[in-house]
Amino acid sequence: MSQTTLLQYEAPWPVHSIDWCKTSAPNQQLLPRSAFRLGIGSFTENYQNQIAIIGLQDERVLVEDDFTDYPDFVSLCEAYHGYPATSLQWQPASSQSHPWTQKAASTELLATTGDALRIWEYNGDGPTSTSAYVGRQPPISSGHSLTMKTALSGQSKVQNQSAGAPLTNFSWNEKSPNLIVTASIDTTCTVWNIDTSTAMTQLIAHDREVYDVAWLPGSTDIFVSVGADGSLRAFDLRSLEHSTILYETPAPKNVPPPTSNPSTNARPPTSPLLRIAFNPADSNYMSTFHMDGSDVQILDMRSPGQPVIELRGHHAPVNALGWGSAEHPLLATAGDDCQVLLWDLANYTQGAASPRSAGSRLNSPRPDAKKRVVTEPIMAYTATSQVTNLAWSPQIPGMTLNSGYTTASGEWIAIASGKTIKALKV
């Protein structure tokens, strides 16, 4: 017997949003397999989208044995979502000890964005499906339920209609899990307190659509955002009268000359930035990529203005990126070239960097660091079709199965490509 390194699930619809649960289920310490739960959201161009939670059919699928005839994952519960979920995330691990006023201890929260920020409560407390169900879906009455608690959409600062504009993404605060910041196509970011269902502040963040947003790790005040205007900006809730532009994409080459139509001149051509993610082990470093770009830029808060590292390994546009949670986290990138690449940047992001301390944000900027180009990922996986999204698992401890076999601890990466989800052991 050897440990499985690949788990697979075929969804009934094309998958866009995906996230791996951050903790095992509450009250289910006896069920190690609850560490293998994923939230997924469909992408169909209608108002019939779904979100679902999938979990392991049986923990024996973690060991390559006689379980090849069955799907590795089964759907535990689904919920109607209307428009596609542009992003779906499980509650941060800190949520389990947070003093929620509106949530039972035995449930977990998920959040999605689309036409609103929706907070969902997941209850997986029911009797767990036993091996009698192998090869079949557990019956609907198996006790798993996913119910919408609130839908939050604010009055837009910049548009007159009553409903808020569509939301592109959000970031859930790790330190204070009652805080979520959302990004919208109406140029704004909104900070919500999801425990009281109130908007704490809304600010015009960019000149055009905002595509992604991320809290600075360890902070409840500072977040960064990227958008269609090609800029990466930092905001501090304690001083909202100004923002800091950390990076602006170079103007695209071969732009047609301006026409006499003033509305086209009013929006200079830019190369939009689509995603932003902090290195969780050293939050001086962020990763981003351009729309239709095949390279990934690594930026350093202390030397804004240009990337310190550029990753060149993809041969088609990048669609997703994410950092793992190891002591020296790997960065995963995925794209239209069907490739998932894992990058180890520890050797490039140390040395020149000052040791990370609470005051490191106040250090004087580093002298202009020369940009390093990295072309060699440490691992590559080729999927059967374009990879649209990815999600890391937390560190999953080894578990001893009933057969006496013990699985190895470590991280997994889930990737979405079409209707297929694959979980790869790193």
Coordinates of all heavy atoms in Angstrom, one line a residue, residues 245-303:
I245 N 0.6 54.1 -3.7 CA 0.8 53.3 -4.9 C 2.1 52.6 -4.8 O 3.2 53.2 -4.8 CB 0.7 54.2 -6.2 CG1 -0.7 54.8 -6.3 CG2 1.0 53.3 -7.4 CD1 -0.9 55.6 -7.6
L246 N 2.0 51.2 -4.7 CA 3.2 50.4 -4.6 C 3.8 50.0 -5.9 O 5.0 49.7 -6.0 CB 2.9 49.2 -3.8 CG 2.5 49.4 -2.3 CD1 2.0 48.1 -1.7 CD2 3.6 50.0 -1.5
Y247 N 3.0 49.9 -7.0 CA 3.4 49.5 -8.3 C 2.4 49.9 -9.3 O 1.2 49.9 -9.0 CB 3.6 47.9 -8.2 CG 3.9 47.3 -9.6 CD1 5.0 47.6 -10.3 CD2 3.0 46.3 -10.1 CE1 5.3 46.9 -11.5 CE2 3.3 45.7 -11.3 CZ 4.4 46.0 -12.0 OH 4.7 45.4 -13.2
E248 N 2.9 50.3 -10.5 CA 2.0 50.5 -11.6 C 2.6 49.8 -12.8 O 3.8 49.8 -13.0 CB 1.9 52.0 -11.9 CG 1.0 52.8 -10.9 CD 0.8 54.2 -11.3 OE1 1.7 55.0 -11.3 OE2 -0.4 54.5 -11.7
T249 N 1.7 49.1 -13.6 CA 2.2 48.4 -14.7 C 2.7 49.3 -15.8 O 2.1 50.4 -15.9 CB 1.1 47.5 -15.3 OG1 0.0 48.3 -15.6 CG2 0.6 46.4 -14.3
P250 N 3.7 48.9 -16.5 CA 4.2 49.8 -17.6 C 3.1 49.9 -18.6 O 2.3 49.0 -18.8 CB 5.4 49.0 -18.1 CG 5.6 47.8 -17.2 CD 4.5 47.7 -16.3
A251 N 3.1 51.0 -19.3 CA 2.0 51.2 -20.3 C 2.2 50.2 -21.4 O 3.4 49.9 -21.8 CB 2.1 52.6 -20.9
P252 N 1.1 49.6 -21.9 CA 1.3 48.6 -23.0 C 2.0 49.1 -24.2 O 1.8 50.3 -24.5 CB -0.1 48.2 -23.3 CG -1.0 48.8 -22.3 CD -0.2 49.9 -21.6
K253 N 2.7 48.3 -24.9 CA 3.4 48.7 -26.1 C 2.4 48.6 -27.3 O 1.4 48.0 -27.2 CB 4.6 47.8 -26.4 CG 5.6 47.8 -25.3 CD 6.8 46.8 -25.5 CE 7.8 46.7 -24.4 NZ 7.2 46.1 -23.2
N254 N 2.8 49.2 -28.4 CA 2.0 49.1 -29.6 C 0.6 49.6 -29.4 O -0.4 49.0 -29.9 CB 1.9 47.7 -30.2 CG 3.3 47.1 -30.2 OD1 4.3 47.8 -30.5 ND2 3.4 45.8 -30.0
V255 N 0.4 50.7 -28.7 CA -1.0 51.2 -28.5 C -1.3 52.1 -29.7 O -0.5 52.8 -30.2 CB -1.0 52.1 -27.2 CG1 -2.3 52.8 -27.1 CG2 -0.7 51.2 -26.0
P256 N -2.5 51.9 -30.2 CA -2.9 52.8 -31.4 C -2.9 54.2 -30.9 O -3.2 54.5 -29.8 CB -4.3 52.3 -31.7 CG -4.8 51.6 -30.5 CD -3.6 51.0 -29.8
P257 N -2.6 55.2 -31.9 CA -2.6 56.6 -31.5 C -4.0 57.0 -31.0 O -5.0 56.5 -31.4 CB -2.2 57.3 -32.8 CG -2.5 56.3 -33.9 CD -2.3 54.9 -33.3
P258 N -4.0 58.0 -30.1 CA -5.3 58.5 -29.6 C -6.2 59.0 -30.7 O -5.7 59.6 -31.7 CB -4.9 59.6 -28.6 CG -3.5 59.9 -28.9 CD -2.9 58.8 -29.6
T259 N -7.5 58.8 -30.6 CA -8.4 59.3 -31.6 C -9.0 60.6 -31.1 O -8.7 61.1 -30.0 CB -9.6 58.3 -31.8 OG1 -10.2 58.2 -30.5 CG2 -9.1 56.9 -32.2
S260 N -9.8 61.2 -31.9 CA -10.4 62.5 -31.5 C -11.5 62.3 -30.5 O -12.0 63.3 -30.0 CB -10.9 63.2 -32.7 OG -11.8 62.4 -33.4
N261 N -11.9 61.1 -30.3 CA -13.0 60.8 -29.3 C -12.5 61.0 -27.9 O -11.6 60.2 -27.5 CB -13.5 59.4 -29.6 CG -14.7 59.1 -28.6 OD1 -14.9 59.8 -27.7 ND2 -15.4 58.0 -28.9
P262 N -12.9 62.0 -27.2 CA -12.3 62.2 -25.8 C -12.5 61.1 -24.8 O -11.7 60.9 -24.0 CB -13.0 63.5 -25.4 CG -14.3 63.6 -26.1 CD -14.0 62.9 -27.4
S263 N -13.6 60.4 -25.0 CA -13.9 59.3 -23.9 C -12.8 58.2 -24.0 O -12.5 57.7 -23.0 CB -15.3 58.7 -24.1 OG -15.3 58.0 -25.4
T264 N -12.3 58.0 -25.2 CA -11.2 57.0 -25.2 C -9.9 57.5 -24.6 O -9.1 56.8 -24.0 CB -11.0 56.5 -26.6 OG1 -10.7 57.6 -27.5 CG2 -12.2 55.7 -27.2
N265 N -9.7 58.8 -24.8 CA -8.5 59.4 -24.2 C -8.6 59.5 -22.7 O -7.6 59.5 -22.0 CB -8.3 60.8 -24.7 CG -8.0 60.8 -26.2 OD1 -7.7 59.7 -26.8 ND2 -8.0 62.0 -26.8
A266 N -9.8 59.6 -22.2 CA -9.9 59.7 -20.7 C -9.4 58.5 -20.0 O -9.1 58.6 -18.8 CB -11.4 60.0 -20.4
R267 N -9.4 57.4 -20.7 CA -8.9 56.2 -20.0 C -7.6 55.7 -20.7 O -7.7 55.0 -21.7 CB -10.0 55.1 -20.1 CG -11.2 55.3 -19.2 CD -12.0 54.1 -19.2 NE -12.8 54.0 -18.0 CZ -13.4 52.9 -17.6 NH1 -13.4 51.9 -18.3 NH2 -14.2 52.9 -16.5
P268 N -6.5 56.1 -20.2 CA -5.3 55.7 -20.8 C -5.2 54.2 -20.8 O -5.6 53.6 -19.9 CB -4.2 56.4 -20.0 CG -4.8 56.7 -18.7 CD -6.2 56.9 -19.0
P269 N -4.6 53.6 -21.8 CA -4.5 52.1 -21.8 C -3.6 51.7 -20.7 O -2.5 52.3 -20.4 CB -3.8 51.8 -23.2 CG -3.2 53.1 -23.6 CD -4.0 54.2 -23.0
T270 N -4.0 50.6 -20.0 CA -3.2 50.1 -19.0 C -3.2 48.6 -19.1 O -4.0 48.0 -19.9 CB -3.8 50.4 -17.6 OG1 -5.1 50.0 -17.6 CG2 -3.7 51.9 -17.3
S271 N -2.3 47.9 -18.3 CA -2.4 46.5 -18.3 C -2.9 46.1 -16.9 O -2.2 46.3 -15.9 CB -0.9 45.9 -18.5 OG -0.9 44.5 -18.4
P272 N -4.2 45.7 -16.8 CA -4.8 45.4 -15.5 C -4.0 44.4 -14.7 O -3.4 43.4 -15.3 CB -6.2 44.9 -15.9 CG -6.4 45.5 -17.3 CD -5.1 45.5 -17.9
L273 N -4.0 44.6 -13.4 CA -3.5 43.5 -12.5 C -4.7 42.7 -11.9 O -5.7 43.3 -11.5 CB -2.7 44.2 -11.3 CG -1.4 44.9 -11.7 CD1 -0.9 45.7 -10.6 CD2 -0.4 43.8 -12.2
L274 N -4.6 41.4 -12.0 CA -5.8 40.6 -11.6 C -5.8 40.1 -10.2 O -6.8 39.9 -9.6 CB -5.8 39.4 -12.6 CG -6.2 39.8 -14.0 CD1 -6.5 38.5 -14.8 CD2 -7.5 40.6 -14.1
R275 N -4.6 39.7 -9.7 CA -4.6 39.0 -8.3 C -3.5 39.6 -7.5 O -2.4 40.0 -8.0 CB -4.4 37.5 -8.5 CG -5.6 36.8 -9.1 CD -6.8 36.6 -8.2 NE -7.9 36.0 -8.9 CZ -8.9 36.7 -9.4 NH1 -8.8 38.1 -9.4 NH2 -9.9 36.1 -10.0
I276 N -3.7 39.5 -6.2 CA -2.6 40.0 -5.3 C -2.6 39.0 -4.1 O -3.7 38.6 -3.6 CB -2.8 41.4 -4.8 CG1 -1.6 41.9 -4.0 CG2 -4.1 41.6 -4.1 CD1 -0.4 42.1 -4.7
A277 N -1.4 38.6 -3.7 CA -1.4 37.6 -2.5 C -0.1 37.9 -1.8 O 1.0 38.0 -2.4 CB -1.5 36.2 -3.0
F278 N -0.1 37.9 -0.4 CA 1.1 38.1 0.4 C 1.7 36.8 0.7 O 1.0 35.8 0.8 CB 0.7 38.7 1.7 CG 0.4 40.2 1.7 CD1 -0.8 40.7 1.6 CD2 1.5 41.1 1.8 CE1 -1.1 42.1 1.6 CE2 1.3 42.5 1.8 CZ 0.0 43.0 1.7
N279 N 3.0 36.8 0.8 CA 3.8 35.7 1.3 C 3.5 35.6 2.8 O 3.8 36.5 3.6 CB 5.3 35.9 1.1 CG 6.1 34.8 1.7 OD1 5.7 34.0 2.6 ND2 7.4 34.7 1.2
P280 N 2.8 34.5 3.3 CA 2.4 34.5 4.7 C 3.5 34.5 5.7 O 3.4 34.9 6.8 CB 1.5 33.3 4.8 CG 1.9 32.4 3.7 CD 2.4 33.3 2.6
A281 N 4.7 34.0 5.2 CA 5.9 34.0 6.1 C 6.7 35.2 6.2 O 7.4 35.5 7.1 CB 6.8 32.8 5.7
D282 N 6.5 36.1 5.1 CA 7.2 37.4 5.1 C 6.4 38.3 4.3 O 6.4 38.4 3.1 CB 8.6 37.2 4.5 CG 9.4 38.6 4.5 OD1 8.7 39.6 4.8 OD2 10.6 38.6 4.3
S283 N 5.6 39.1 5.0 CA 4.5 39.9 4.4 C 5.1 41.1 3.7 O 4.4 42.0 3.2 CB 3.5 40.3 5.4 OG 4.0 41.1 6.4
N284 N 6.5 41.3 3.6 CA 7.0 42.3 2.7 C 6.8 41.9 1.3 O 6.8 42.8 0.4 CB 8.5 42.5 3.0 CG 8.8 43.2 4.3 OD1 8.3 44.3 4.5 ND2 9.6 42.5 5.2
Y285 N 6.6 40.6 1.0 CA 6.6 40.2 -0.4 C 5.1 39.9 -0.8 O 4.4 39.2 -0.1 CB 7.4 38.9 -0.6 CG 8.9 39.2 -0.4 CD1 9.5 39.0 0.8 CD2 9.6 39.8 -1.4 CE1 10.9 39.3 1.0 CE2 11.0 40.1 -1.2 CZ 11.6 39.9 0.0 OH 12.9 40.2 0.1
M286 N 4.8 40.3 -2.0 CA 3.5 40.1 -2.6 C 3.7 39.5 -4.0 O 4.7 39.9 -4.7 CB 2.7 41.4 -2.7 CG 2.4 42.0 -1.4 SD 1.9 43.8 -1.7 CE 3.5 44.5 -2.0
S287 N 2.7 38.8 -4.5 CA 2.8 38.2 -5.8 C 1.5 38.8 -6.6 O 0.4 38.8 -6.0 CB 2.8 36.7 -5.8 OG 1.7 36.2 -5.0
T288 N 1.7 39.1 -7.9 CA 0.6 39.6 -8.7 C 0.9 39.1 -10.1 O 2.0 38.6 -10.5 CB 0.5 41.1 -8.6 OG1 -0.7 41.5 -9.3 CG2 1.7 41.8 -9.2
F289 N -0.1 39.3 -11.0 CA 0.2 39.1 -12.4 C -0.8 40.0 -13.2 O -1.8 40.4 -12.8 CB 0.1 37.6 -12.8 CG -1.3 37.0 -12.5 CD1 -2.3 37.0 -13.5 CD2 -1.5 36.3 -11.3 CE1 -3.5 36.4 -13.2 CE2 -2.7 35.7 -11.1 CZ -3.7 35.8 -12.0
H290 N -0.4 40.2 -14.5 CA -1.1 41.1 -15.4 C -2.2 40.3 -16.1 O -2.0 39.1 -16.4 CB -0.2 41.7 -16.5 CG 0.9 42.5 -15.9 ND1 1.5 43.4 -16.7 CD2 1.5 42.6 -14.7 CE1 2.5 44.0 -16.0 NE2 2.4 43.6 -14.8
M291 N -3.3 40.9 -16.5 CA -4.3 40.3 -17.4 C -3.6 39.9 -18.6 O -2.8 40.6 -19.2 CB -5.4 41.3 -17.7 CG -6.5 40.7 -18.5 SD -7.7 41.9 -18.9 CE -8.7 42.0 -17.4
D292 N -3.9 38.6 -19.1 CA -3.3 38.1 -20.3 C -1.8 37.9 -20.2 O -1.1 37.7 -21.2 CB -3.6 38.9 -21.5 CG -5.1 38.9 -21.8 OD1 -5.8 37.9 -21.5 OD2 -5.6 40.0 -22.3
G293 N -1.2 38.0 -19.0 CA 0.3 37.9 -18.8 C 0.7 36.5 -18.4 O 0.0 35.8 -17.7
S294 N 1.8 36.1 -18.9 CA 2.3 34.7 -18.6 C 3.4 34.8 -17.5 O 3.8 33.7 -17.0 CB 2.8 34.0 -19.8 OG 3.8 34.8 -20.4
D295 N 3.8 36.0 -17.1 CA 4.8 36.1 -16.0 C 4.1 36.5 -14.7 O 3.1 37.1 -14.7 CB 5.8 37.2 -16.4 CG 6.6 36.9 -17.7 OD1 6.6 35.7 -18.1 OD2 7.1 37.9 -18.3
V296 N 4.8 36.2 -13.6 CA 4.3 36.5 -12.3 C 5.3 37.5 -11.6 O 6.5 37.2 -11.7 CB 4.1 35.3 -11.4 CG1 3.7 35.7 -10.0 CG2 3.0 34.4 -12.0
Q297 N 4.8 38.6 -11.1 CA 5.7 39.6 -10.5 C 5.7 39.4 -9.0 O 4.6 39.3 -8.4 CB 5.2 41.0 -10.8 CG 5.5 41.4 -12.3 CD 4.5 40.8 -13.3 OE1 3.4 40.6 -13.0 NE2 5.0 40.5 -14.5
I298 N 6.9 39.5 -8.4 CA 7.0 39.5 -6.9 C 7.5 40.9 -6.5 O 8.5 41.4 -7.0 CB 8.0 38.4 -6.4 CG1 7.7 37.1 -7.0 CG2 8.0 38.4 -4.9 CD1 6.4 36.4 -6.5
L299 N 6.7 41.5 -5.7 CA 7.0 42.9 -5.2 C 7.4 42.9 -3.8 O 7.0 42.1 -3.0 CB 5.8 43.8 -5.4 CG 5.3 43.8 -6.9 CD1 3.8 44.1 -7.0 CD2 6.1 44.9 -7.7
D300 N 8.2 43.9 -3.4 CA 8.7 44.0 -2.1 C 8.2 45.4 -1.5 O 8.4 46.4 -2.1 CB 10.2 44.0 -2.0 CG 10.8 44.1 -0.6 OD1 10.1 44.6 0.3 OD2 11.9 43.6 -0.5
M301 N 7.4 45.4 -0.5 CA 6.8 46.6 0.1 C 7.9 47.6 0.3 O 7.6 48.8 0.3 CB 6.3 46.3 1.5 CG 4.9 45.7 1.5 SD 3.7 47.0 1.8 CE 2.3 46.1 2.3
R302 N 9.1 47.2 0.6 CA 10.2 48.2 1.0 C 10.9 48.8 -0.2 O 11.6 49.8 0.0 CB 11.2 47.4 1.9 CG 10.7 46.9 3.2 CD 11.5 45.8 3.7 NE 11.5 44.7 2.8 CZ 12.1 43.5 3.1 NH1 12.7 43.3 4.2 NH2 12.1 42.6 2.2
S303 N 10.7 48.2 -1.4 CA 11.2 48.9 -2.6 C 10.1 48.9 -3.6 O 10.2 48.1 -4.6 CB 12.5 48.2 -3.1 OG 12.3 46.8 -3.3

